[in-house]
Amino acid sequence: MKPRNLHTKIFLDSGIPTETQEMLQLLTFLDGQTTNPSLMAKNPVLSGKKFSKSELYDTYQKIATEISGLLPQGSVSLEVYADKDTSYEVMLEEGRKLNQWIPNAHIKLPITKVGLQVARTLVDEGVNVNMTLCFTQDQAAAVYQATTGAKRGQVYVSPFIGRLEDIGFSGMSLVFNIEQMYREEGDGHVMILAASIRSLEHLMLCLSRNIDIITAGSGVYKRWADQGCIVPDATYQHISDREAIPYTKDLLQNPSVDIQHNLTDTGLQRFADDWNNLLTL
Ligand code: G3P
């Protein structure tokens, strides 16, 4: 049963519908699911095989439809294919296409110059977006600025905790900085979706601070269920040997124009490579 003191939405990070079913059985609830090209590529229907472009998109659509059907009240994030050269027009067309597949989509777009332009257009068309590969407070401020006027729930920003930890920084400190910035300076239209969760500790910290949404793989939720799905209170300590990222004040009023981050660039390329590996040449 959903814990009564749980204020964070719980999403599954997976491209495999049987995992959705398994988590629904284990937790008895799920508020949504996030996918990305790498997670989709791990689906047994796709993994290790080769497809024409149209076959690949047909299969992607079938998987998305299946997940959506399992979570009719939830949100399902579907990511556009993008690499560093993908144009505004191509990304926009793909975002519109994915959005027609299912009624409860959040279209995942990278936090790049083009991704933010596409987000502006899609939000104006009433489409939900999930801005992914977020590694800096500047990027989160840029998402906020690019989507002003959106309804709460229409826009998610996905800070990647684990990948920052991989390079020695506290990913949780970024999540807390974004939360503080939106709470103190914003109007609440962007929701934080904590992603790249690698441990029960990350999950506990997000729950204890009432972060809007968390997405994690089934392994983390199994460990959480083993502990009775407890929700720690705000006194839960954040102890990390990684370097804390300092908070920048007044960033929403004075956003930086530089939103580039190496992990965004390499993350985009990794997603593109995993997707392209499924294509016949
Ligand atoms: O939700 C984003 C996630 O799938 C990325 O996780 O472990 O590849 O950094 P990871």
Side-chain angles (χ1 to χ4, degrees):
M1 205 176 60
K2 195 169 192 166
R4 258 191 270 140
N5 56 342
L6 176 65
H7 302 294
T8 297
K9 287 182 189 296
I10 300 293
F11 286 14
L12 176 66
D13 201 24
S14 165
I16 305 177
T18 51
E19 282 193 355
T20 320
Q21 288 166 322
E22 193 191 358
M23 284 305 103
L24 280 169
Q25 275 197 342
L26 180 75
L27 301 175
T28 70
F29 70 95
L30 258 189
D31 300 304
Q33 185 152 337
T34 49
T35 69
N36 63 42
S38 306
L39 291 172
M40 280 288 174
K42 286 186 188 151
N43 185 305
V45 176
L46 297 174
S47 176
K49 305 190 181 95
K50 296 280 183 193
F51 301 85
S52 69
K53 203 169 173 186
S54 71
E55 285 168 343
L56 186 55
Y57 273 89
D58 283 350
T59 311
Y60 184 10
Q61 182 173 3
K62 278 191 196 124
I63 298 168
T65 306
E66 204 178 329
I67 294 170
S68 168
L70 290 166
L71 301 170
Q73 312 302 323
S75 149
V76 179
S77 285
L78 302 178
E79 186 154 342
V80 297
Y81 171 87
D83 58 35
K84 64 179 175 32
D85 300 319
T86 305
S87 67
Y88 166 84
E89 289 76 15
V90 168
M91 209 187 288
L92 179 60
E93 191 184 302
E94 173 142 341
R96 285 174 174 154
K97 179 173 80 178
L98 302 188
N99 189 56
Q100 282 170 359
W101 287 354
I102 57 173
N104 50 348
H106 272 78
I107 300 304
K108 264 175 120 172
L109 304 162
I111 307 178
T112 57
K113 196 169 163 224
V114 172
L116 290 168
Q117 288 168 344
V118 173
R120 176 73 271 166
T121 305
L122 288 178
V123 162
D124 288 343
E125 292 175 1
V127 174
N128 300 324
V129 297
N130 175 355
M131 304 307 294
T132 191
L133 292 165
C134 178
F135 296 98
T136 66
Q137 196 187 330
D138 292 284
Q139 290 179 325
V143 167
Y144 182 95
Q145 293 298 344
T147 58
T148 47
K151 303 193 294 285
R152 182 165 172 80
Q154 195 183 354
V155 180
Y156 299 157
V157 66
S158 292
F160 273 36
I161 297 168
R163 292 197 193 179
L164 273 170
E165 306 227 340
D166 290 343
I167 60 162
F169 290 98
S170 160
M172 285 312 307
S173 67
L174 173 67
V175 173
F176 297 153
N177 290 345
I178 298 172
E179 192 278 329
Q180 182 179 351
M181 172 174 73
Y182 287 168
R183 176 169 37 82
E184 290 181 356
E185 302 172 36
D187 61 10
H189 80 269
V190 183
M191 293 177 80
I192 300 173
L193 192 165
S196 184
I197 297 286
R198 303 270 177 78
S199 65
L200 187 59
E201 178 72 1
H202 291 153
L203 173 71
M204 292 296 186
L205 281 162
C206 290
L207 300 186
S208 72
R209 306 304 199 276
N210 294 335
I211 296 303
D212 298 314
I213 309 165
I214 186 166
T215 191
S218 55
V220 172
Y221 291 130
K222 282 178 189 163
R223 272 172 265 156
W224 187 43
D226 282 345
Q227 305 217 350
C229 294
I230 53 167
V231 179
D233 68 22
T235 59
Y236 190 82
Q237 287 293 309
H238 177 214
I239 300 161
S240 171
D241 55 0
R242 308 298 205 289
E243 189 181 332
I245 299 168
Y247 182 70
T248 311
K249 264 178 81 90
D250 300 330
L251 209 51
L252 283 190
Q253 280 69 43
N254 307 294
S256 158
V257 285
D258 181 14
I259 53 144
Q260 189 275 341
H261 194 281
N262 287 345
L263 289 181
T264 305
D265 298 344
T266 53
L268 197 58
Q269 193 54 50
R270 205 200 295 183
F271 287 153
D273 289 344
D274 286 342
W275 194 245
N276 288 329
N277 273 340
L278 297 168
L279 288 168
T280 42
L281 294 176

